[in-house]
Amino acid sequence: SGDNQYLVDQLRRGALDVVVGRMPAPETMAGVSFDPLYRERVAVVVARHHPLAGLEHVPATAMEDYPVLMPSEGSIIRPFVERMFLEQGQSMPRFPIETVSSTLGRRFVLAHKAIWIISHGVVRPDLAAGSMVALPLDTGSTLGPVGLCIRRDHQLSAAAQRFCSLLRQTCVAQGL
């Protein structure tokens, strides 16, 4: 788990065989191929007992009134998140907590009345379980491809090939 650019750099160096995540920017794809699996949006979530949970409209000052966890500057989805704020008439958080850690995000949101802006797939289980709820913000402009990044000059091991095959099958089976 980590920042996409860091992971793709590790892939390029041979420290990783496969990276699963958002499609990197074209200028960072030298020597790397991308195999799309599905498209995903960003989600804006809070704990189910948060004061914003259940509101029909998110106040324009919400991102200033509560702690906000969001993707780091330089992450692939950060420009999409910034655009979403503008489209929704939301103020940018003045002091965001920048992280791509799902463990930190999950614990912090549940314990500190925070708003978490993260890829929907990261919080899908939390939303299904009811421990978190999505805020009523249109995140349509954050939709982007998620897939497998693999070095072009590298033959995957049988285990890595099997992993990629199973991941593709799982995405199809779940209708992603």
Side-chain angles (χ1 to χ4, degrees):
S1 176
D3 176 84
N4 190 284
Q5 186 59 52
Y6 170 77
L7 294 174
V8 170
D9 286 344
Q10 293 295 307
L11 175 72
R12 206 176 275 112
R13 290 187 184 117
L16 299 173
D17 292 317
V18 178
V19 172
V20 180
R22 282 277 185 138
M23 183 175 75
E27 62 271 14
T28 66
M29 293 289 292
V32 175
S33 64
F34 181 77
D35 181 10
L37 296 170
Y38 61 95
R39 295 176 63 77
E40 177 174 67
R41 296 174 191 239
V42 166
V44 182
V45 301
V46 294
R48 71 173 177 220
H49 298 301
H50 191 284
L52 295 175
L55 294 182
E56 290 183 25
H57 177 73
V58 178
T61 60
M63 303 300 164
E64 297 173 8
D65 296 339
Y66 298 96
V68 177
L69 286 88
M70 62 188 291
S72 315
E73 212 168 301
S75 69
I76 291 174
I77 62 175
R78 178 66 176 256
F80 295 100
V81 170
E82 291 176 358
R83 180 180 174 149
M84 179 197 68
F85 280 123
L86 292 172
E87 292 172 348
Q88 300 295 313
Q90 293 290 319
S91 300
M92 280 292 291
R94 275 187 280 175
F95 304 106
I97 300 165
E98 297 182 347
T99 183
V100 294
S101 169
S102 59
T103 303
L104 170 68
R106 187 167 286 107
R107 288 181 177 231
F108 197 88
V109 159
L110 295 174
H112 298 288
K113 292 186 181 173
I115 299 169
W116 190 13
I117 304 162
I118 193 67
S119 295
H120 185 265
V122 173
V123 293
R124 184 179 293 119
D126 305 284
L127 294 168
S131 60
M132 293 184 195
V133 297
L135 294 180
L137 291 171
D138 181 359
T139 60
S141 65
T142 67
L143 187 67
V146 174
L148 304 169
C149 288
I150 301 169
R151 279 177 291 158
R152 285 194 181 120
D153 63 349
H154 177 67
Q155 178 63 40
L156 292 177
S157 68
Q161 288 178 26
R162 181 80 176 129
F163 169 78
C164 292
S165 177
L166 289 171
L167 192 54
R168 287 182 195 99
Q169 291 171 22
T170 300
C171 290
V172 169
Q174 292 190 7
L176 299 175

